[in-house]
């Protein structure tokens, strides 16, 4: 057999293996990896175009919205994409009233079901970390009232009710085995909230961001790269990445209150591709490493040291770069895609045929 023929067959074999690896990757990600679809921008494509793009070109089939935008909900009709909607924080006190909750469900949810696959309603975002007493004392009651409204509309078996938390709800998180909720909030707010979640078969949702907690010394630990790791002497368990440590700290806090049986969902996590000159690890390479390794890790079934053999439903922040977001430069560059729907970097969420076409186009341009 000639060297040319051997070379050609080898190339084709590599291509076939790569294709099936890509299919395996797609299969593993689907159903577990979602994206936060934020809209704080003035240059984003129309929702119908976004829904079509996600459905046809990516492996993402879960979307979290920060409101209940009717245009976006209509855009996802008949796509099968699992959609999570949100009640804004400022509406939480009103939501404690049953007539308001029923009207909210009637206005924002019922017109779109079952055509749009709405699977979850989030009552606010990081409410406890706002330190707003009215919002905090209203949170659990608002969730219970919304659940009552869903029951009345016969939607309670289709739609879950939850609320996402920042890791600021923890008073201690290191080592992970010592994780516990902030005193006062633990028994008066979080324990009743966990009871509600258990009774309604809903998950506890958290927003872990290794990006905001890492330093130059812990960058590899945050990015799932080879590193010295962290040893928890209490459990004799070894941590190779920061996300596992953060999740296990939350798990330890839940276990302390007797709720270690609840599912944990990652409502937000991500890494910016651009930032201010004074920031370290803020570039497309680091963002690709974090989000790519994140997807592989949460879908692998390995779990965490305290929660082995689990996968985690995970929502990457965010779908697009959002040019109107306030704050440091990095806040505007968490997107996986630019507003023209070209990827900021490749982490394997484009379907194989789309990715191949994009690579071919990129090579042609070069």
């Amino acid at each position: 057999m000639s060297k040319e023929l051997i070379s050609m067959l080898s190339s084709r074999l590599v291509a076939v293996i790569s294709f099936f690896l890509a299919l395996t990757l797609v299969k593993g990600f689907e159903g577990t990896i979602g994206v936060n679809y934020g809209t704080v921008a003035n240059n984003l494509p129309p929702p119908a175009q976004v829904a079509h793009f996600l459905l046809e070109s990516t492996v993402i089939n879960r979307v979290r919205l920060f409101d209940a935008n009717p245009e976006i909900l209509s855009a996802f009709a008949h796509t099968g994409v699992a959609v999570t909607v949100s009640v804004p924080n400022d509406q939480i006190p009103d939501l404690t009233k049953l007539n308001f909750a029923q009207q909210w469900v009637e206005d924002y949810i019922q017109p779109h079901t079952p055509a749009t696959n709405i699977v979850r309603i989030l009552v606010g975002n990081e409410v406890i970390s706002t330190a707003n007493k009215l919002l905090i004392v209203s949170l659990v009651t608002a969730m219970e009232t919304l659940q009552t409204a869903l029951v009345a509309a016969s939607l309670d078996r289709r739609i879950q009710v939850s609320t996402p938390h920042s890791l600021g709800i923890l008073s201690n998180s290191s080592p992970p085995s010592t994780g516990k909720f902030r005193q006062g909030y633990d028994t008066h707010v979080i324990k009743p909230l966990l009871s509600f979640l258990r009774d309604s078969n809903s998950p506890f949702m958290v927003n872990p961001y290794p990006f905001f907690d890492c330093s130059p010394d812990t960058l590899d630990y945050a990015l799932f790269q080879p590193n010295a790791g962290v040893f928890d002497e209490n459990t004799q368990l070894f941590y190779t990445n920061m996300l596992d440590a953060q999740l296990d700290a939350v798990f330890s806090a839940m276990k302390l209150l007797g709720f270690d049986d609840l599912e944990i969902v990652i409502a937000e996590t991500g890494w910016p591709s651009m930032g201010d000159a004074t920031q370290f690890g803020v570039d497309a390479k680091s963002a690709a490493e974090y989000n790519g390794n994140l997807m592989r890790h949460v879908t692998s079934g390995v779990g965490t040291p305290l929660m082995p053999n689990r996968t985690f439903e995970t929502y990457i922040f965010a779908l697009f770069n959002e040019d109107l977001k306030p704050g440091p430069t990095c806040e505007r560059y968490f997107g996986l895609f630019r507003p023209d729907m070209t990827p900021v970097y490749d982490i394997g969420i484009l379907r194989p045929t789309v990715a191949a076409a994009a690579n071919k186009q990129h090579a042609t341009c070069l």
Side-chain angles (χ1 to χ4, degrees):
M1 189 179 291
S2 69
K3 290 183 179 180
E4 290 80 5
L5 183 57
I6 292 173
S7 177
M8 183 182 71
L9 290 174
S10 297
S11 298
R12 288 185 177 179
L13 180 61
V14 169
V16 169
I17 291 173
S18 298
F19 175 74
F20 280 105
L21 282 174
L23 287 182
T24 303
L25 190 69
V26 168
K27 186 177 179 181
F29 288 169
E30 277 190 321
T32 307
I33 298 297
V35 69
N36 287 268
Y37 180 3
T39 57
V40 187
N42 60 8
N43 56 358
L44 299 184
Q49 189 177 347
V50 174
H52 179 77
F53 170 70
L54 289 179
L55 183 66
E56 299 295 331
S57 302
T58 79
V59 300
I60 295 169
N61 65 359
R62 290 183 173 272
V63 169
R64 175 193 171 197
L65 309 178
F66 290 92
D67 52 22
N69 185 311
E71 184 183 2
I72 296 178
L73 290 176
S74 295
F76 281 98
H78 309 296
T79 63
V81 173
V83 179
T84 292
V85 301
S86 303
V87 180
N89 283 6
D90 60 6
Q91 293 185 19
I92 291 174
D94 291 326
L95 202 62
T96 61
K97 306 177 186 72
L98 182 57
N99 60 343
F100 182 90
Q102 290 177 322
Q103 191 64 52
W104 193 91
V105 170
E106 184 179 331
D107 290 344
Y108 292 101
I109 304 301
Q110 287 180 285
H112 301 284
T113 56
T116 299
N117 184 24
I118 300 173
V119 298
R120 195 174 290 142
I121 302 173
L122 304 185
V123 178
N125 185 46
E126 300 187 348
V127 174
I128 294 174
S129 299
T130 66
N132 183 313
K133 290 183 180 179
L134 178 59
L135 296 184
I136 293 169
V137 300
S138 301
L139 178 61
V140 177
T141 304
M143 295 172 70
E144 293 170 339
T145 307
L146 179 59
Q147 177 73 10
T148 301
L150 289 174
V151 169
S154 299
L155 291 171
D156 55 302
R157 294 189 178 183
R158 175 188 293 271
I159 300 173
Q160 296 177 328
V161 175
S162 190
T163 185
H165 307 275
S166 79
L167 296 193
I169 59 173
L170 300 176
S171 61
N172 196 56
S173 60
S174 183
S177 60
T178 63
K180 57 183 175 182
F181 295 116
R182 289 164 58 186
Q183 190 172 4
Y185 293 116
D186 53 354
T187 54
H188 296 295
V189 181
I190 296 175
K191 192 170 185 178
L193 191 151
L194 292 169
S195 293
F196 167 82
L197 295 176
R198 176 186 281 165
D199 292 343
S200 61
N201 195 31
S202 298
F204 188 71
M205 304 185 71
V206 292
N207 298 342
Y209 275 94
F211 168 72
F212 290 116
D213 289 331
C214 76
S215 64
D217 293 335
T218 59
L219 183 60
D220 287 338
Y221 183 56
L223 293 175
F224 302 88
Q225 295 297 322
N227 64 90
V230 174
F231 184 68
D232 188 333
E233 293 185 356
N234 297 324
T235 57
Q236 299 294 296
L237 294 173
F238 187 71
Y239 287 83
T240 60
N241 68 83
M242 190 180 293
L243 182 73
D244 279 357
Q246 292 179 336
L247 291 176
D248 275 359
V250 172
F251 174 79
S252 296
M254 294 168 67
K255 186 176 182 180
L256 204 59
L257 295 180
F259 292 90
D260 53 324
D261 57 314
L262 290 182
E263 180 190 1
I264 295 176
V265 167
I266 300 173
E268 272 184 52
T269 190
W271 200 282
S273 61
M274 191 180 297
D276 296 316
T278 54
Q279 293 181 298
F280 61 92
V282 187
D283 50 62
K285 180 176 180 293
S286 297
E289 286 179 350
Y290 178 76
N291 285 323
N293 289 330
L294 165 80
M295 292 199 304
R296 284 182 280 276
H297 185 62
V298 298
T299 61
S300 67
V302 171
T304 71
L306 287 179
M307 295 180 284
N309 307 316
R310 289 199 195 186
T311 58
F312 294 92
E313 182 183 335
T314 300
Y315 293 80
I316 297 175
F317 187 88
L319 179 56
F320 294 114
N321 287 333
E322 297 172 71
D323 65 339
L324 297 183
K325 290 202 74 173
T329 301
C330 66
E331 290 290 339
R332 293 176 284 283
Y333 290 94
F334 272 87
L336 296 174
F337 295 93
R338 303 177 186 90
D340 64 359
M341 295 189 289
T342 58
V344 178
Y345 43 81
D346 178 23
I347 54 171
I349 59 174
L350 288 174
R351 294 188 178 277
T353 52
V354 178
N359 290 337
K360 183 177 181 180
Q361 181 179 4
H362 181 66
T364 301
C365 291
L366 289 176

